[in-house]
Each structure stands twice: as C-alpha cells, then as structure tokens.
Amino acid sequence: LSGDLKMQVPFPFSLLCLQVIKCKAAVLWEANKPFSIEEVEVAPPKEHEVRIKIVATGICRSDDHVITGALVMPFPIILGHEAAGVVESVGQGVTSIKPGDKVIPLFLPQCGECKSCLNTKGNLCCKTDLGTSAGLMPDGTTRFTCKGKAIHHFLGTSTFTEYTVVHESAVAKIDPAAPLEKVCLIGCGFSTGYGAALQTAKVKPGSTCAVFGLGGVGLSVVMGCKAAGASRIFAVDINKDKFAKAKELGATDCINPKDFNKPIQEVLMEMTGQGVDYSFEVIGRTDTMTVALASCQYNYGVSVIVGVPPAAQKITFDPMLLFTGRSWKGSVFGGWKSKDAVPKLVADYMKKKFVLDPLITHTLPWIKINEGFDLLRTGK
C-alpha cells in the first residue's frame, strides 16, 4: 500500500494474530496426579477477549486445592491464576488494551456493571468463576484443546500455559517498566494478604494483630498490618523456619502452637490481656478459622478468613464468640476492586512502597512445575 492508503486504512496488526496458537501447557488430567506438559491449541480471542503470552506465574495453595479435591473443579484443566504477561492479540470490541501491553490477568474480574462492582464496599464481581466451578469462558465455551479434548479454564485465567485467553474484564494493564517476574505476585498472593489487612480489616495504627499461617499470603498480611501501623503483630505457624522472614517483614512476635500445652487462643489472650484487635486465618482450615476468631478481643475484635475454605466442610462454634460483639469477615483478593487496584499496586511497588522479593523463595523453569508444587507442600 502507498503511504496515503496506509494513513487511510490502518494496518490491522491484531488480525494477523487471530489464529490458533500451538504451545506448551501444564495440563491436569485428573485429581491427585502430577501435571503433564502437553502441546495445546489456544483459540483466538473472541469478542471482548484478550490473548496473553504468559511471562511469569506463581504457584498458589488454591491451585493445589484443586489437585487434592479441596476446591472442586472439572477436569481436565489448566490451573494457575497468579501471573503477568504481554498481550499477543485482542478480540473485536477490545479498546482498553492493545497487543504489546504488559498485563496481569485477574482471577477476580471487574465488569463495572454488577451490584458488587457498583457498590463502594464490594469487589466480588458477578462474572467471576469463583464458587461456580464452571471452568469455562463467560460464553460457556473453552479456548483450550489438547489431543482433541476440550480443556477447562481455571478462574477465568489459566496461567500454567505459554498462552492463555481471558475476558477483557479480567485483565489489568500495568506499568510497562514493571518486572513481570516480580509483579506477577500482585495477581493474587500479595494483593490478597496485603489487602486483607488494609482493605477488609482496616487495621488501625497502634493495634494488635495475629496472623495464622506464614506462607506468601500470610507474610503479605504481616506487611499490610505493619503498613497500617499495628504496634504488635503475632505470627503463628507450626513451621518455625518461617519465623525469620516474618520478623524481617514486620512481625514482632513469632509463636509455634506446638510449643504450648494449651490452645493457642489462650496463649494469645494471656499475651495481650483480652486478645488481639485483628486476627487473620491464612491457611484454609476450619479449625484454625474458629481459633482465629476466639483469639481476637471478645467485644470489638475483627477476625478475617483469608484462606480458601475446603469444600464440603462445615464449622461448628460457640455462638457466644459472636454474641459478645466480635466481627467475622471474609476477604477475596484482599477486598480490592481488581481492575482499578492492580495498576495502582504495581505503581506503588515501582515507587518502593512495599517489597516483593522476600515472598519469592525459588525461581524455576515452568516445566519443573511439579517440583514447584513439591516445594509448596513441604513448606519450603
């Protein structure tokens, strides 16, 4: 085309990319089995969808919950929901994002239209796959095929693959200078923990906090409590190897329940007088959820459930724990409105308002994903 025609008819870059991509992915064919590295076909993005080349992805306990059956999802499936990448192509109608943009997929979308999105207090967008176990795109189909079989999506993200497709409402454009191998953690773990303290609990300066579970999310809660100005932060875990990093990130006291002959809530009551102002359960166990509730001040204490509850399990507890005034809250993605908050959190990281490096213990080539999950399960 001549120069004049090029000006009149813009070069349709994205149309050249709208074809099936064959790439490698970690497919989970059934529960309690290792991931299998397979060649998959990734279909082009449909209307209001975005196809992303994944650069870095984190391993989260929620992914492992699917493997063990604690979080029920259909098989076969491509897991992964904490990642960062570069937009490869966009479907018709996508205006907010273009090929080449650095992005973070959002397992909690923000459509901007449902009641939760429109309410200042809400963030659990109705378009999320969380709790539905559908494993499909919003139109009820999948973009992944392997060996002639349809492969399910996970939480609308599926990041254990070289390429994925997400809905436009489930992707956030971020600072092009951001290191993707670090800020991928803002896609889940860091934001979930940090926000649980700042957004959900709204920790007050000078208060006392207890954090049950010191994985990546728990450590992020510790960071959030410190950023909020908590005067005392109790870090609780049965793995004492986690204590040094917890103290590095702001914990003032580290407690191993195995060191005591009494319930840990009684220990915290004795150490604080009447219990902590805020407690956080960041494990996903029903027994520690009730312990965390009992650990906070009986009248105005706030306890937040951050860990994903296991499927088909119920909680039995003394209702007097709530009758006296305690508040029991849940927190999904730290209470952040994802599409609004993620670019701002990345900007804050770039301004050195918080650190992410201490949350990264290992960096592996992604084909060693099964080794990565072994490290997760052994607390390393």
Side-chain angles (χ1 to χ4, degrees):
L1 296 175
S2 71
D4 290 339
L5 277 173
K6 282 182 182 177
M7 291 176 67
Q8 295 172 28
V9 186
F11 187 66
F13 173 82
S14 62
L15 295 181
L16 292 180
C17 305
L18 296 185
Q19 54 189 315
V20 172
I21 288 178
K22 290 186 178 181
C23 67
K24 296 293 185 183
V27 177
L28 191 68
W29 292 101
E30 55 184 302
N32 295 302
K33 291 290 176 68
F35 290 95
S36 178
I37 305 300
E38 306 278 6
E39 182 178 82
V40 299
E41 293 84 42
V42 184
K46 293 186 179 181
E47 187 174 9
H48 293 294
E49 293 179 356
V50 179
R51 190 159 58 183
I52 303 167
K53 178 179 174 61
I54 298 296
V55 173
T57 185
I59 288 176
C60 181
R61 180 67 75 175
S62 301
D63 301 305
D64 193 46
H65 284 337
V66 179
I67 300 171
T68 63
L71 184 59
V72 178
M73 293 296 295
F75 295 97
I77 192 168
I78 295 174
L79 296 177
H81 62 285
E82 178 183 88
V86 179
V87 174
E88 177 268 340
S89 60
V90 299
Q92 185 179 355
V94 175
T95 57
S96 61
I97 293 163
K98 64 184 186 302
D101 284 345
K102 283 189 176 181
V103 294
I104 289 178
L106 307 170
F107 76 88
L108 188 65
Q110 185 183 345
C111 71
E113 299 171 355
C114 69
K115 282 190 173 182
S116 285
C117 285
L118 293 173
N119 192 302
T120 56
K121 297 178 181 178
N123 78 322
L124 192 59
C125 177
C126 71
K127 291 194 184 300
T128 182
D129 194 26
L130 191 65
T132 68
S133 302
L136 299 169
M137 294 294 285
D139 70 350
T141 63
T142 176
R143 303 293 167 268
F144 299 118
T145 311
C146 181
K147 298 177 180 177
K149 293 184 178 180
I151 308 296
H152 290 91
H153 294 249
F154 180 55
L155 300 181
T157 48
S158 290
T159 62
F160 293 164
T161 171
E162 292 176 318
Y163 287 88
T164 193
V165 177
V166 304
H167 192 269
E168 186 180 13
S169 64
V171 61
K173 180 180 174 180
I174 62 170
D175 183 343
L180 300 184
E181 74 280 4
K182 311 285 187 187
V183 299
C184 62
L185 299 182
I186 293 174
C188 179
F190 172 77
S191 303
T192 295
Y194 196 65
L198 294 174
Q199 286 283 111
T200 306
K202 292 182 168 55
V203 171
K204 299 287 191 300
S207 59
T208 56
C209 303
V211 181
F212 291 78
L214 301 176
V217 183
L219 292 173
S220 299
V221 176
V222 170
M223 293 165 69
C225 293
K226 182 181 179 182
S231 62
R232 204 167 178 190
I233 303 170
F234 296 89
V236 185
D237 203 296
I238 58 173
N239 183 351
K240 66 181 186 302
D241 294 340
K242 307 226 176 203
F243 290 165
K245 191 163 285 188
K247 287 198 170 182
E248 175 192 339
L249 293 174
T252 57
D253 303 77
C254 292
I255 302 173
N256 186 341
K258 291 183 175 180
D259 293 340
F260 300 91
N261 294 320
K262 61 179 70 174
I264 197 64
Q265 63 266 38
E266 293 182 15
V267 174
L268 286 166
M269 285 287 178
E270 291 173 1
M271 295 179 75
T272 58
Q274 291 188 337
V276 295
D277 298 309
Y278 306 93
S279 66
F280 302 85
E281 201 282 350
V282 205
I283 303 167
R285 292 176 56 101
T286 54
D287 53 351
T288 44
M289 288 173 187
T290 51
V291 166
L293 177 66
S295 299
C296 66
Q297 208 276 346
Y298 67 91
N299 180 223
Y300 53 77
V302 176
S303 187
V304 183
I305 294 174
V306 187
V308 177
Q313 287 196 24
K314 308 296 181 188
I315 291 181
T316 302
F317 68 99
D318 182 354
M320 188 60 72
L321 288 170
L322 293 177
F323 177 76
T324 55
R326 290 180 180 90
S327 298
W328 212 357
K329 307 184 77 172
S331 182
V332 178
F333 196 59
W336 305 107
K337 288 186 184 289
S338 59
K339 211 168 171 73
D340 292 341
V342 164
K344 293 176 183 176
L345 288 168
V346 171
D348 284 348
Y349 170 74
M350 298 298 284
K351 294 173 186 172
K352 296 181 167 52
K353 290 188 177 180
F354 55 81
V355 294
L356 293 173
D357 281 45
L359 303 179
I360 302 171
T361 57
H362 300 76
T363 301
L364 302 171
W366 78 274
I367 56 172
K368 291 189 177 181
I369 189 168
N370 289 307
E371 294 178 33
F373 273 86
D374 288 339
L375 291 166
L376 173 77
R377 293 171 189 132
T378 54
K380 296 177 182 177

